[in-house]
Amino acid sequence: MTETRSRGLIAIWVSLVSNIVLTIIKIGVGFAFASPVLLADGIHNAGDIIATVAALTSSMVSKKPADEDHPYGHGKAEVVASAMVAVILALAALWIGYHSVLSLFEPPESESWLPLIAAFVSLVWKQALFVYTVRIGRAEKSKSVLATAYDHLADVYASLAAVVGIGLALLGDRLDWAWTAYGDPIAGIIVSLLVLKLAFEIGKEAVDILMERTVPAERLAGYETLISGLEEIKRIDRVRAREHGHYIIVDVRVGVPSHYTIQQGHDISRQIKHCIMDNDPDVVEVMVHLNPWNEGEDRAL
């Protein structure tokens, strides 16, 4: 587990350094060659630095053990970072879209090869980062690493738009196609919509977790099946579960024979806890409430 967590932190550090380098390249080349799409992409990358720092901080905080002030652990720190990434992505999408629309009403800038090369390098680099971080994020079930991965994916879209837009403009210059001069802002508008959609999806998931939305129904059904297999359980009154960042907390209410002793009830609670946790490694806590059950009462599970 420690090795997996270290991989997650390394992935975020790699992302942070990459974002700093790419921001310098894009903004520098964008200013030097007056490339609106590359400049907008560079400013987007500058926002990514803030998002990656938030992901790095939250990933470190989320791994801290539970304490008196946070008895359920610090897992939601990652979800807060994920929500921040969603906000930054949405702002970046609006920025790209706004400047792309403005560019449609301005005389087109002449394009150069260096901005195209910079955009292509960013495209390949960000695609590699996305594949790398999404694999680690899924393996670790880390919301902050996954948010960083999808932030890279948004950059892939933006860099692809820059490559297409600048490439069309260069091709148009050679073939004397006037319409290609506006390929850059049109591609930027399309990308802004894609990034906005991605921001909405990430933000919605973060809000659902912060609002303690229940886990999928099939997962709850699996817990009920496990509990119903225990002989002492006569009735399942309620099973609830919620994500807490990279782990899950389960809340169980069941009926057991009313004549059982406190020791027997304690043993049953431990059985339920271990039964669920042994079958689902994502579960770190199972809270069990026992209700009395008498002969002749509903035994439906």
Side-chain angles (χ1 to χ4, degrees):
M1 181 65 72
T2 302
E3 181 182 353
T4 303
R5 291 174 180 175
S6 298
R7 287 172 57 206
L9 289 174
I10 290 171
I12 297 177
W13 272 110
V14 169
S15 298
L16 177 59
V17 173
S18 297
N19 282 330
I20 292 172
V21 173
L22 287 172
T23 297
I24 294 171
I25 291 173
K26 291 177 184 178
I27 291 181
V29 176
F31 267 124
F33 291 88
S35 174
V37 70
L38 197 61
L39 187 58
D41 196 11
I43 293 172
H44 177 198
N45 259 127
D48 292 342
I49 294 174
I50 300 173
T52 310
V53 170
L56 178 63
T57 305
S58 70
S59 184
M60 296 171 68
V61 170
S62 70
K63 304 304 186 294
K64 292 172 62 178
D67 54 34
E68 284 189 19
D69 293 328
H70 305 89
Y72 300 107
H74 299 76
K76 283 190 177 179
E78 289 194 307
V79 186
V80 173
S82 183
M84 290 178 62
V85 170
V87 172
I88 291 171
L89 281 177
L91 293 174
L94 294 174
W95 168 271
I96 295 171
Y98 173 71
H99 284 277
S100 296
V101 171
L102 285 183
S103 297
L104 291 174
F105 300 96
E106 298 173 355
E109 299 281 352
S110 59
E111 298 290 357
S112 303
W113 283 99
L114 190 55
L116 178 63
I117 293 170
F120 183 76
V121 169
S122 174
L123 173 62
V124 174
W125 196 336
K126 281 293 186 174
Q127 178 62 31
L129 283 172
F130 168 68
V131 173
Y132 168 58
T133 50
V134 81
R135 285 178 179 172
I136 292 177
R138 287 172 179 169
E140 190 178 347
K141 296 181 175 62
S142 169
K143 301 296 181 185
S144 58
V145 177
L146 283 173
T148 302
Y150 289 114
D151 190 23
H152 291 320
L153 181 60
D155 292 336
V156 171
Y157 294 153
S159 297
L160 180 60
V163 169
V164 171
I166 297 171
L168 278 174
L170 288 170
L171 182 63
D173 286 345
R174 281 184 171 273
L175 301 177
D176 198 25
W177 291 345
W179 64 270
T180 59
Y182 292 97
D184 186 323
I186 291 172
I189 292 171
I190 295 172
V191 166
S192 68
L193 295 174
L194 292 173
V195 174
L196 199 59
K197 178 177 180 292
L198 186 62
F200 173 78
E201 291 171 351
I202 295 174
K204 182 178 182 301
E205 182 184 11
V207 169
D208 282 343
I209 295 174
L210 289 173
M211 294 294 292
E212 302 208 332
R213 177 184 173 185
T214 187
V215 300
E218 56 271 17
R219 202 159 196 169
L220 284 178
Y223 299 151
E224 290 191 17
T225 300
L226 290 171
I227 297 169
S228 64
L230 301 176
E231 184 179 351
E232 294 86 352
I233 305 302
K234 304 302 181 182
R235 185 182 65 242
I236 295 179
D237 296 321
R238 185 174 69 195
V239 177
R240 298 188 300 188
R242 63 189 187 276
E243 285 188 61
H244 215 270
H246 57 280
Y247 53 85
I248 293 174
I249 296 175
V250 181
D251 178 12
V252 176
R253 289 175 179 265
V254 294
V256 299
S258 58
H259 63 271
Y260 275 12
T261 64
I262 293 177
Q263 181 62 56
Q264 287 175 303
H266 172 74
D267 293 341
I268 291 170
S269 296
R270 288 178 59 84
Q271 272 188 286
I272 294 171
K273 179 175 181 176
H274 289 299
C275 179
I276 293 175
M277 292 178 66
D278 289 347
N279 284 275
D280 189 344
D282 294 340
V283 177
V284 300
E285 181 65 72
V286 179
M287 293 176 284
V288 182
H289 179 88
L290 302 180
N291 291 324
W293 175 86
N294 296 295
E295 196 73 36
E297 290 183 1
D298 182 17
R299 294 183 53 128
L301 295 178

